[in-house]
Amino acid sequence: MTNEIKEGLEGVVAARTRLSGIDGEKGKLWLAGFSLEELAPNAHFEEMAYLLWHGQLPDCEQLEAFRARLSSWFLPGHTQSLIEAAVRTGQKPIDVLRLALDSLCLEDAEADVALVGATPVIVAATWRLMNQKPVIQPDSGLRFAENFLYMLSGRRPTAAMACALDTYFNAMVDHGMNASTFTARVVTSTRSDRKSAIVGALGALKGPLHGGAPEPALAMLQQIGIPDRAEPFIRNVLERGERLMGFGHREYKVRDPRAAVLAQAAEKLCEDKGDTGLFDLARLVESEAVRLLEEYKPGRRLFTNAEFYTAVLLHELGVSSELFSCTFAVTRMAGWIAHCREQEAVDRIFRPQSEYVGCEGREWVDLGNR
């Protein structure tokens, strides 16, 4: 009897996890038992990472010790030289990150903390070198989100900026068995090292079907530019049969709960900056898009996903769209590692079956008679 084939493993449950749970019909996301809406705006990212790795929120002493370990990582000379060479040859930031992480010499006991601590340093160094600016090492007196913005710009961020980035990091740190997370778990299941699992996850993240939506979502908003252009622009996209970036999600049949959290964070940030123009445009575009998607694709239930307001929030933080995928990796690194830890506890290799559909009975022909 032929086994039922699930292309893309859709609907197949491959692991048990305590890290995140999704209810796509109700639009709910839980992170280690906490609702996204409660946790994301209130926690510092260091608390979130600790929670995923240890199953509980840290107390003051645990948090300070964990924060100190994360901020103690500095860019080694050989890794900076590799980044400089990669930048000179025009490598994309996500490729530079993969190369740089693979160059690190990590002790097993500190590999997890080192990978999370190293990622924002590498991303910021890459960006500054791409723009002919000196590399800035992390400041041990700053928190994780603050440090990332400081290393990118050379300026200490405002409290509102740090809070907005913490919210983004917390909202995006983990989200079920997505392609990059599954890749990390598959590599871990072979008892390979942590760095190999993370480099594999980055390779999956690079694919445009996984980590590339915020960039075109921002480009769409910039192309629309003014409110009066929103409806005709969206109609034109839908009538050409093209995908409207920032809308629709395989898991969610209602508005992505991360979109709501990120929209609130983006609104607060824009108000603090005294310029709500882009946010106001995004809110109008969202309303028009949802209405027109139902008109053109009735019953498909296509609503706003996380990438739409990610684009607004990161842009308002001064993060270039070229770094959107890498910034996603900065936060998802902690989630990947949490899944690797879970997979190590299971200690069973992934070995799905395949069905052979090729021909049979072929006969060998010598080279001279082909």
Side-chain angles (χ1 to χ4, degrees):
M1 186 172 102
T2 302
N3 292 326
E4 182 184 3
I5 297 173
K6 300 278 190 175
E7 296 290 354
L9 301 182
E10 185 170 1
V12 175
V13 177
R16 294 184 175 92
T17 182
R18 59 170 180 78
L19 302 173
S20 62
I22 302 166
D23 186 331
E25 290 292 332
K26 295 181 179 179
K28 300 297 294 182
L29 172 62
W30 294 272
L31 295 165
F34 293 89
S35 71
L36 172 73
E37 294 83 358
E38 181 179 16
L39 195 58
N42 295 311
H44 293 154
F45 179 68
E46 298 93 319
E47 295 176 278
M48 176 66 81
Y50 189 98
L51 171 64
L52 292 183
W53 292 6
H54 299 284
Q56 61 186 12
L57 289 167
D59 60 27
C60 291
E61 184 177 342
Q62 291 167 331
L63 178 59
E64 286 309 309
F66 188 58
R67 180 175 289 158
R69 291 167 65 202
L70 284 177
S71 64
S72 64
W73 198 89
F74 286 79
L75 195 64
H78 74 275
T79 300
Q80 181 164 332
S81 296
L82 177 63
I83 295 172
E84 291 170 352
V87 168
R88 282 196 303 271
T89 57
Q91 296 290 315
K92 293 181 178 179
I94 194 75
D95 293 319
V96 179
L97 175 59
R98 187 183 65 223
L99 289 167
L101 287 174
D102 208 19
S103 77
L104 301 180
C105 301
L106 304 176
E107 297 291 337
D108 287 346
E110 284 296 307
D112 291 350
V113 171
L115 286 164
V116 173
T119 302
V121 183
I122 292 168
V123 172
T126 300
W127 180 245
R128 291 188 68 81
L129 289 167
M130 287 174 63
N131 289 277
Q132 295 80 49
K133 295 180 180 179
V135 171
I136 298 175
Q137 295 287 2
D139 182 336
S140 60
L142 297 178
R143 293 188 292 101
F144 188 86
E146 292 174 318
N147 243 330
F148 182 53
L149 293 172
Y150 165 66
M151 289 185 291
L152 279 175
S153 68
R155 299 183 300 275
R156 291 174 179 266
T158 65
M161 293 172 69
C163 181
L165 188 58
D166 264 327
T167 301
Y168 167 73
F169 282 164
N170 293 337
M172 305 303 286
V173 66
D174 188 56
H175 198 252
M177 193 64 76
N178 52 80
S180 57
T181 296
F182 184 51
T183 301
R185 291 190 76 132
V186 169
V187 175
T188 300
S189 79
T190 70
R191 295 186 184 171
S192 187
D193 61 281
R194 183 74 83 242
K195 188 169 63 175
S196 296
I198 294 306
V199 169
L202 278 171
L205 176 64
K206 182 183 176 182
L209 293 184
H210 185 14
E215 295 174 64
L218 178 61
M220 176 183 70
L221 289 172
Q222 292 171 332
Q223 284 180 275
I224 292 173
I226 58 175
D228 289 347
R229 292 191 59 192
E231 180 177 357
F233 183 95
I234 295 167
R235 283 193 184 278
N236 192 29
V237 170
L238 295 177
E239 286 174 2
R240 292 199 305 267
E242 297 176 2
R243 181 183 173 190
L244 195 62
M245 304 309 295
F247 296 88
H249 193 284
R250 178 178 289 187
E251 295 281 354
Y252 295 110
K253 305 307 177 187
V254 294
R255 193 189 197 206
D256 187 333
R258 297 170 300 172
V261 167
L262 294 172
Q264 291 173 1
E267 183 175 21
K268 289 179 181 178
L269 176 62
C270 291
E271 288 174 349
D272 182 78
K273 293 175 65 178
D275 181 2
T276 63
L278 182 61
F279 177 79
D280 292 339
L281 176 64
R283 188 160 50 184
L284 173 69
V285 169
E286 177 185 22
S287 176
E288 288 294 302
V290 170
R291 178 177 67 82
L292 293 172
L293 281 166
E294 179 59 26
E295 177 184 328
Y296 281 83
K297 302 175 186 292
R300 290 280 302 278
R301 302 170 72 184
L302 300 172
F303 295 93
T304 320
N305 62 38
E307 282 77 12
F308 185 74
Y309 282 106
T310 288
V312 177
L313 188 143
L314 292 183
H315 177 76
E316 292 296 331
L317 284 171
V319 178
S320 168
S321 61
E322 292 181 73
L323 293 185
F324 282 2
S325 291
C326 286
T327 304
F328 180 82
V330 170
T331 179
R332 190 54 65 88
M333 189 69 59
W336 289 333
I337 289 170
H339 277 274
C340 290
R341 290 180 168 209
E342 281 194 337
Q343 193 60 44
E344 284 175 336
V346 175
D347 195 23
R348 183 175 178 84
I349 191 171
F350 281 100
R351 185 61 172 87
Q353 299 297 308
S354 61
E355 179 182 354
Y356 178 68
V357 295
C359 54
E360 298 178 0
R362 301 177 76 177
E363 296 183 358
W364 175 258
V365 179
D366 290 334
L367 180 60
N369 295 320
R370 294 177 198 166

